[in-house]
Amino acid sequence: PGSRPGMTKVDRVKAVTVYSVYEPASEASDIALRAEGLQFVKEGFSWPAFLVPALWLIYCRMWIELVLFIVIFGALQWALGLDKPGHDVLGWILVALFALFAFEANDLRGGALERRGYRLIGVAEGRGRTDAELSFFKTWLPLQKTQARSERSPERQAERQRDSDTKRPTTLGEGEGVIGLFPQA
């Protein structure tokens, strides 16, 4: 049911990739510039982080993580790489740690973006990055246009003026910083 002639089993099963979408803290002047500044971070295993972890960290500008990576792997090489059996053990440990790093790499990238002032604004999904971006922008762009119209209304301008006169709270309110039942780390 629902299959066309010539479709393989792989075609019928849609492999969906999920991306977390981050926006920089700085406000861009128009929607196109805001859209260009968005970062899509894939959830799950990262092949580039597994195959070339140091280069991946440099490419993502994750300097703190790069320093920690070099220190940890340098210390492991120094501790285990003194003799032949140590080299064998070191090789297996490195493969296991590269795999572990590849599973956590995109989460680390999200954390690095948040440290730089980005905020999570949504989740996108699709068969690939392009499909995920298209599905995200189909819902995000109309919302931005309606917000822009409401921001220009005279009532909204008066409300903004009143809001700027009052002091904003600096503590998190109830439910902020909480995802599901767990607080954000």
Side-chain angles (χ1 to χ4, degrees):
S3 64
R4 296 182 303 239
M7 283 183 67
T8 66
K9 192 180 242 184
V10 173
D11 291 334
R12 281 183 251 138
V13 177
K14 290 186 178 184
V16 176
T17 306
V18 178
Y19 293 85
S20 298
V21 184
Y22 292 88
E23 181 178 33
S26 61
E27 290 291 323
S29 58
D30 78 356
I31 294 173
L33 292 174
R34 282 184 65 201
E36 284 181 25
L38 297 179
Q39 295 287 319
F40 287 77
V41 178
K42 181 183 153 211
E43 298 292 323
F45 191 84
S46 172
W47 280 104
F50 177 71
L51 297 174
V52 285
L55 293 177
W56 184 84
L57 287 166
I58 292 168
Y59 176 77
C60 293
R61 298 184 201 157
M62 297 170 59
W63 310 119
I64 295 171
E65 291 83 355
L66 177 65
V67 169
L68 287 172
F69 176 83
I70 292 170
V71 167
I72 290 170
F73 287 99
L76 279 172
Q77 178 136 11
W78 177 78
L80 297 174
L82 300 176
D83 56 355
K84 175 69 173 134
H87 282 291
D88 294 340
V89 171
L90 178 66
W92 287 108
I93 290 174
L94 289 180
V95 169
L97 287 176
F98 280 9
L100 177 66
F101 176 73
F103 277 110
E104 296 298 325
N106 289 322
D107 291 335
L108 291 170
R109 182 172 177 217
L113 287 171
E114 288 177 355
R115 275 196 317 271
R116 284 190 254 155
Y118 283 72
R119 61 188 172 93
L120 180 67
I121 62 167
V123 176
E125 59 183 37
R127 293 187 80 164
R129 183 178 172 133
T130 304
D131 287 344
E133 287 178 356
L134 285 174
S135 72
F136 177 79
F137 285 124
K138 281 181 184 176
T139 58
W140 184 78
L141 284 173
L143 290 173
Q144 302 310 306
K145 289 177 183 175
T146 58
Q147 281 180 349
R149 277 195 297 266
S150 69
E151 293 276 330
R152 287 181 284 190
S153 71
E155 300 88 22
R156 181 68 180 138
Q157 289 175 351
E159 183 181 314
R160 253 188 295 157
Q161 179 63 32
R162 281 193 311 267
D163 287 347
S164 67
D165 294 341
T166 62
K167 193 160 183 96
R168 297 192 182 266
T170 56
T171 59
L172 290 177
E174 183 179 341
E176 290 185 42
V178 175
I179 297 176
L181 299 174
F182 304 101
Q184 275 183 319

